[in-house]
Every structure is written in C-alpha cells, then in structure tokens.
Amino acid sequence: KVEFNPFNWKMNTYLALHHIEYLTTKLKVKEDVVMAYNCGIGAVLKNRIPESTKNYLASVSDIKGIFSIP
C-alpha cells in the first residue's frame, strides 16, 4: 500500500502513463486519446468535446512538430 501524494512527481507520472495506456486500449485514434486525457473519455465518446480541449489538441500537435515526434 502506498499513500497517494499529489506532490510526488514519480507517482503522478506513473498514474498519468497508466491512464494514457488505458485510454489507448479504449480509443483507437491518437487524437481521441489526447482529447480524452484532457476532457475525459465520456466527452470524447459522446462527441461533446469542449473548445478548450480542441485548443489543447492543437497545442500538443504543435509541440510534436517542434520536436519531430512521430
């Protein structure tokens, strides 16, 4: 048993990566995974994606281009 510590970067990274892995198993499109990480899987599945999440997706896509991430 490990007590959750919101200020522990290692724990937060572990949880984030496992959440992304879960989203990847449920959603097949990478952009949907990114949006679900930001606004929740329910919003993506119901196609109720807020404008702020669309902006988030665009900013993440820009970062990928800067660093040449496939």
Side-chain angles (χ1 to χ4, degrees):
K1 283 188 168 184
V2 177
E3 184 177 335
F4 177 68
N5 178 354
F7 301 106
N8 181 329
W9 68 269
K10 290 180 183 179
M11 183 178 291
N12 286 319
T13 302
Y14 175 83
L15 292 173
L17 291 174
H18 279 272
H19 185 56
I20 291 169
E21 181 181 34
Y22 164 78
L23 293 172
T24 301
T25 65
K26 299 295 181 187
L27 305 166
K28 303 304 177 200
V29 179
K30 290 179 185 179
E31 288 79 5
D32 288 350
V33 171
V34 172
M35 290 189 293
Y37 184 78
N38 183 259
C39 72
I41 194 170
V44 173
L45 292 174
K46 294 175 185 173
N47 200 24
R48 295 183 180 163
I49 302 162
E51 195 63 33
S52 60
T53 296
K54 293 176 185 176
N55 294 336
Y56 174 77
L57 177 63
S59 69
V60 170
S61 296
D62 288 345
I63 290 170
K64 283 173 44 179
I66 291 170
F67 293 105
S68 299
I69 299 170

